Amino acid sequence: MNRYRPIRYGRIAVQTIAAVAIAVAVVVGTPCIFSHMQIIPAVAACSGLWLIVWLLSTLVFGRIYCSTVCPVGALTDLISAVARRWKKSHYSYCSPSTRTRISFLGIAAISAVTGISTIIAVLDPYSAFARIVAACARPAAIGLAGLIVAAATLAAIVTLASWRGRLVCNTICPVGSTLGFISRLSLYHADINTDLCTNCGRCADVCPSQCINTTDHVVDMSRCVVCFDCMDACPSAAITYRRGRHQLSIPMMMRIGNSAGVSATNMSSADTSTAKPIDRRSFILTGVISAAAATEAFASKLAPDFVAGAVKLYPLNHVTPPGTSSREDYIRRCTSCGACIAACPTGVLTSSVKQYGLRHALTPVMDFDSSYCDYNCTRCTEVCPTKAIVPLTLAEKRNTPIGSARVSPTNCMLFVNGTPCSRCADVCPKRAISFISDSQGRTSPTVEPRLCIGCGHCSNACPAEPYSAIVIEGI
């Protein structure tokens, strides 16, 4: 048996376990070690441990992160394997799309520096995968913008994986590109023994990264994800995973000059026929988000703001989830993976569109028009891998204000079915709402700011029509 086959099967097992564990954690709403191991969430959480682990691992073994714990890598491998079997097709070597690769990496870097979290949320492989899972598990909760982005991301992955295997990982993904540059220096790498190679092409046929140049007998380690597929497929054991380079038995037959995929000249003159204009991608992304915002704005204008004296209440500040230290820190750390949205049992969390500005679209926001924050729940604080939402005990959650209720006496219904209405006060877990009478004898609810934590139970229970008499505002 090929000595690399058990290693390959072991890698596939780890990859499957990691992807399934992340998917289950998102659906069930539980913490997951594989979520905290992801690189961009680790950067957002300032987790130096995992960054050092993956830096050293890449310098020694190459891009094992991409072939073991990256969930989009697992999804890509599954789709490409199914497509290849269905079409009965093979891979072939393709020149690296270096300009496109650097362009996407530059876009991600500029977005991170300038704080445009929407771009990072779309390009981060963990967040993209978690958002797809959350959209499948809780389509109503994740919101229109989240659904559109998740569907577009899945369509792009399916299309590109079916066509070009690991193209997403090697050209679009900023994590893959960063690790690719580091892996050029890796201690261990794939190497072809030209004394044993019979030029059968089996290695290139199965390489999802399309990085094996059988003409020059070299492997582009910047794109190789160390999947061991080529080594398992090689009938003559000519391609191995080793330190150093194989020395030819007949040195005069060695090719003169830099090898493809390594030469700086080749890098600069790489085939750009497959490069896609970055401006168009940015335009499409911005268009999708803007269209979602315009749709919501148009829908909100269909209902009149004034009906029989009732006034539509709008919060001055939108509410962030419990466990956020500040709005700025929350927006800076959040990668919009949707794990908290999927974990929320009441569905009060949803993907934002314009609540935090289009620069931070998809960042989860509390939507008290649709639901409330359960007083006895801390699940969203338990699943965040970036520390945008820090864990809270139930006692801490119950005493941590996330907002405050504001009452409009004009909208308040004093009677419901002939009986005095006190539903907001009845459901308030902090007993922060009481009723007072004004100089005209009209009774209306009032909120005690010291007690209110902004859970939204009152707003959700308010029977006032056509607009609620209570709005929850962020603090």
Side-chain angles (χ1 to χ4, degrees):
M1 182 178 69
N2 189 309
R3 61 173 173 155
Y4 290 105
R5 184 161 299 172
I7 300 177
R8 174 174 172 261
Y9 285 161
R11 179 200 65 78
I12 294 174
V14 172
Q15 182 184 54
T16 303
I17 291 171
V20 171
I22 291 173
V24 170
V26 171
V27 173
V28 178
T30 57
C32 176
I33 182 61
F34 291 108
S35 298
H36 294 277
M37 293 169 65
Q38 305 302 313
I39 290 180
I40 289 186
V43 171
C46 300
S47 177
L49 172 62
W50 285 115
L51 297 179
I52 292 173
V53 166
W54 290 123
L55 173 62
L56 295 178
S57 299
T58 306
L59 284 172
V60 176
F61 302 108
R63 290 174 55 182
I64 59 172
Y65 166 87
C66 301
S67 59
T68 54
V69 300
C70 178
V72 167
L75 181 61
T76 297
D77 284 346
L78 175 63
I79 294 170
S80 59
V82 171
R84 198 158 55 91
R85 287 182 179 274
W86 177 56
K87 296 188 296 185
K88 297 181 180 179
S89 60
H90 301 285
Y91 296 115
S92 60
Y93 173 76
C94 289
S95 299
S97 302
T98 307
R99 293 181 181 176
T100 305
R101 191 179 191 180
I102 294 176
S103 297
F104 272 104
L105 184 57
I107 289 173
I110 293 172
S111 299
V113 171
T114 57
I116 305 177
S117 61
T118 304
I119 303 297
I120 300 297
V122 172
L123 296 180
D124 172 31
Y126 166 76
S127 300
F129 179 83
R131 190 181 307 109
I132 291 170
V133 174
C136 294
R138 301 285 299 277
I142 201 170
L144 177 61
L147 280 175
I148 292 175
V149 174
T153 303
L154 181 59
I157 292 174
V158 170
T159 301
L160 295 178
S162 303
W163 173 44
R164 289 277 302 275
R166 285 268 187 165
L167 181 65
V168 170
C169 307
N170 287 328
T171 305
I172 299 175
C173 176
V175 176
S177 296
T178 302
L179 296 180
F181 292 127
I182 298 173
S183 66
R184 292 175 183 272
L185 308 173
S186 63
L187 185 62
Y188 286 87
H189 50 261
D191 184 64
I192 299 177
N193 184 338
T194 51
D195 291 330
L196 298 177
C197 181
T198 61
N199 289 318
C200 66
R202 292 280 299 279
C203 56
D205 288 346
V206 300
C207 177
S209 297
Q210 299 182 292
C211 64
I212 302 178
N213 188 336
T214 54
T215 302
D216 289 345
H217 294 93
V218 294
V219 179
D220 181 0
M221 285 305 296
S222 71
R223 291 185 289 159
C224 175
V225 296
V226 198
C227 63
F228 296 102
D229 288 1
C230 57
M231 299 167 201
D232 183 24
C234 182
S236 57
I239 185 166
T240 56
Y241 184 62
R242 52 171 290 169
R243 297 173 58 182
R245 299 291 179 184
H246 170 73
Q247 298 298 319
L248 291 174
S249 298
I250 309 176
M252 290 182 63
M253 295 181 63
M254 184 177 294
R255 180 177 295 272
I256 298 176
N258 291 326
S259 300
V262 178
S263 164
T265 302
N266 284 347
M267 283 180 58
S268 62
S269 61
D271 179 16
T272 58
S273 61
T274 58
K276 299 180 180 179
I278 303 308
D279 290 342
R280 184 175 64 183
R281 291 181 179 273
S282 301
F283 175 79
I284 292 174
L285 176 61
T286 305
V288 168
I289 297 174
S290 301
T295 300
E296 180 177 333
F298 176 76
S300 66
K301 293 180 181 298
L302 294 180
D305 287 341
F306 298 92
V307 178
V311 178
K312 174 68 174 177
L313 301 178
Y314 296 98
L316 298 178
N317 290 306
H318 293 280
V319 184
T320 59
T324 56
S325 59
S326 69
R327 183 186 302 270
E328 293 74 18
D329 183 74
Y330 169 68
I331 291 175
R332 179 175 62 84
R333 291 178 181 271
C334 180
T335 61
S336 307
C337 66
C340 57
I341 296 176
C344 180
T346 64
V348 69
L349 275 171
T350 188
S351 296
S352 67
V353 177
K354 60 183 185 299
Q355 288 89 336
Y356 303 123
L358 290 180
R359 294 175 62 206
H360 309 294
L362 305 180
T363 303
V365 64
M366 307 288 274
D367 180 14
F368 291 109
D369 287 338
S370 61
S371 191
Y372 61 93
C373 182
D374 191 340
Y375 184 65
N376 297 310
C377 173
T378 60
R379 291 179 63 181
C380 67
T381 74
E382 300 168 355
V383 299
C384 180
T386 68
K387 296 183 181 178
I389 305 174
V390 298
L392 296 177
T393 64
L394 187 57
E396 290 173 333
K397 156 69 184 303
R398 289 174 172 176
N399 291 284
T400 302
I402 59 174
S404 61
R406 174 165 60 91
V407 178
S408 170
T410 305
N411 291 13
C412 184
M413 297 176 64
L414 300 181
F415 295 91
V416 177
N417 296 327
T419 60
C421 177
S422 61
R423 292 187 185 180
C424 55
D426 295 340
V427 299
C428 178
K430 300 292 288 185
R431 297 294 182 260
I433 299 180
S434 58
F435 285 80
I436 59 173
S437 299
D438 57 21
S439 57
Q440 299 178 352
R442 178 185 172 89
T443 303
S444 61
T446 183
V447 180
E448 174 53 61
R450 292 186 303 105
L451 297 177
C452 180
I453 60 173
C455 63
H457 279 74
C458 55
S459 176
N460 184 255
C462 180
E465 292 290 348
Y467 303 120
S468 173
I470 304 177
V471 66
I472 309 299
E473 296 183 325
I475 57 175

